[in-house]
Amino acid sequence: FAAALSCAARATEAPRIVDRDGRHALMVDGKPFLVLGAQVNNSSGWPQMLPQVWPAIDALHANTVQVPISWGQIEAKQGQFDFSFLDTLLTQAREHNVRVVLLWFATWKNNGPSYAPAWVKLDNRRYPRVVKKDGSTLNSLSPFGSATLEADRSAFVALMTHLRKIDGDRHTVIMVQVENESGSYGTDRDYSAAGDQLLQSPVPAAVLQKTGKAAGSWSQVFGKDAAEYSFAWAVAHYIGEVAAAGKAVYDLPMYANAALRDPFHPGPPGSYSSGGPTDNVLGIWRAAAPSLDFVAPDIYLREYPKYTAVLGRYRRDDNALFVAETGNDTAYARYVFAALGQQSIGFSPFGMDYTRYSNWPLGAKTIDADTIKPFAANYELLAPLGSLIAGLSVEGKVWGASEPDSIHEQTLDLGDWRVHIGYGQPQFGMDPPKGNEQKLGGVLIAQLGKNEYLVTGYHARVDFMPAKGRDGVRFLLERVEEGRYENGQWHFIREWNGDQTDYGLNFTSQPQVLRVTLATY
Ligand code: N0T
């Protein structure tokens, strides 16, 4: 399939998401593309800030930068548009040889309308806010506001029209995020008349199909969850309408991102952003907003069990996994490997610029060269492999693992073979793994042929073994080559043998890529 994908490669082809057998890839210039991304801070989307952005992006070896485009910035006066920042951004992104994901900050930015123009956010009559059960009003725009939808959609269409004009033949912009962390904090739904009415209306067929429920009203079908689920439908439908109108003028991949709920102890809706694409309403979102290519998690959960649970929930047959945001502290860097193991189309730490803002405790305390280093090391290793990995991922031939917090070993099941991974072991001999001092370990494996694997990673020891049920099989490492990929071509450096293979394949802080051929005797 990778070969078929590359054969069809056309440099002029617009970016798109392909879905095959419940697996997904982002295609850019007709080839599978792995987003090694970084997101700038919320207020860095201004021409005079870009000099503090590019040094961080360049140091990261990122191939993609996510930058906000604010509704208030482009349409301060209704109907008059100013796209000068976008023009500047694209010119400079091309000079820095990175792709762009635009973030449409409009009706929702972390539940609120702060990025909407003043003529929207100060006119509560035309652009109503969400009403709580007690009748009070939240600073979160209602998804039932038809004038709000109309206004947001027109602005977005203007943006996409301009974008097609300046970038339709270059595709510097490869995806668009529609809104940011939608939904509302402090309520499960909008208690306006329209919100009440929705509860009593029939659940649309697409939602019934996704959730396997029998027909009825939202209240009848979903009982105590009806408030949150119907609200999620309304928010998703609104964002789906905005995305569809944008796609009609310029068809780029589009997604919505989620402020997560805790995967194990979520608490009640409203304690998290209710109505947004949280893990409990993914089916409703996919049904309500078919124009969105996927919905994506913003992962600010440092703990391994939580982080990996989130990856597993957003990777679905009907949903490509993309780590749309993650913390920029060192603890998060290793998770790029687990994300790739869950077929993620990309990974993107948040707040990666030198404007001197830190969102600690979500991310790092300070953003400097040391903060960037572990992320940069991963991207340096993965960048030359990106297209290869993304192509093999759609075929189900990629595995990945990140170092856990308190467990120091793992096994990955590759089919005929499995690998044992140990973290914090001496390179020579069989001392048990005791974990790395800094949790930076990670491993990535991709199958290249029947018994041939690409193996790479950092701070980990990898041992191959026959799969369960083949325990008696006598096997050996026929050949272990170290080399590097350049434009998809393998360049041989040396063969690993003796101490370098007898006690497992030891990855250190060096960016090393191996091709391992296994055999039986
Ligand atoms: C993120 C970012 C930015 C475990 C926070 C995360 C970005 C937005 N919001 O710096 O504002 O635009 O998408 C919200 C995390 C909630 C707290 C979770 C505690």
Side-chain angles (χ1 to χ4, degrees), residues 23-199:
R23 290 185 292 263
H24 317 275
L26 167 63
M27 306 291 288
V28 172
D29 296 340
K31 292 192 296 270
F33 185 85
L34 181 63
V35 177
L36 301 172
Q39 183 166 154
V40 303
N41 279 296
N42 288 167
S43 310
S44 298
W46 296 94
Q48 298 202 62
M49 291 301 110
L50 292 178
Q52 289 160 74
V53 167
W54 298 122
I57 302 302
D58 293 342
L60 269 165
H61 305 282
N63 62 19
T64 304
V65 61
Q66 294 170 301
V67 182
I69 293 292
S70 128
W71 184 8
Q73 181 187 35
I74 67 163
E75 197 187 8
K77 287 210 184 97
Q78 189 168 13
Q80 290 178 28
F81 290 95
D82 176 357
F83 296 113
S84 52
F85 171 63
L86 181 59
D87 299 343
T88 304
L89 173 67
L90 295 202
T91 305
Q92 296 188 15
R94 288 168 188 161
E95 284 163 13
H96 287 266
N97 204 19
V98 293
R99 304 287 179 146
V100 174
V101 173
L102 292 182
L103 313 172
W104 177 233
F105 285 10
T107 298
W108 289 277
K109 163 64 176 83
N110 303 14
N111 111 109
S114 55
Y115 283 79
W119 55 268
V120 171
K121 62 188 179 188
L122 301 182
D123 188 348
N124 199 52
R125 209 179 43 81
R126 285 199 69 172
Y127 309 110
R129 287 173 163 78
V130 167
V131 179
K132 281 173 62 165
K133 200 172 194 166
D134 66 7
S136 65
T137 296
L138 288 166
N139 188 23
S140 184
L141 292 172
S142 170
F144 302 106
S146 51
T148 325
L149 170 57
E150 173 57 37
D152 183 323
R153 188 170 47 197
S154 314
F156 189 62
V157 166
L159 171 66
M160 293 307 291
T161 304
H162 182 77
L163 182 61
R164 190 186 61 176
K165 200 173 79 199
I166 61 168
D167 196 44
D169 56 344
R170 297 283 297 266
H171 308 120
T172 302
V173 175
I174 54 172
M175 295 202 283
V176 180
Q177 179 188 292
V178 188
E179 314 293 343
N180 190 83
E181 294 191 349
S182 61
S184 299
Y185 290 98
T187 187
D188 51 1
R189 70 171 176 97
D190 182 4
Y191 286 81
S192 65
D196 291 348
Q197 214 184 339
L198 178 60
L199 268 186

Side-chain angles (χ1 to χ4, degrees), residues 22 53 96 104 205 208 220 248-249 264 319 336 379 383 406 445 502-503 510:
V53 167
H96 287 266
W104 177 233
L208 294 175
Q220 289 163 340
V249 297
F264 304 125
N319 196 64
V336 70
Y379 284 6
S406 46
I445 298 180
D502 291 345
Y503 307 97
Q510 296 271 320

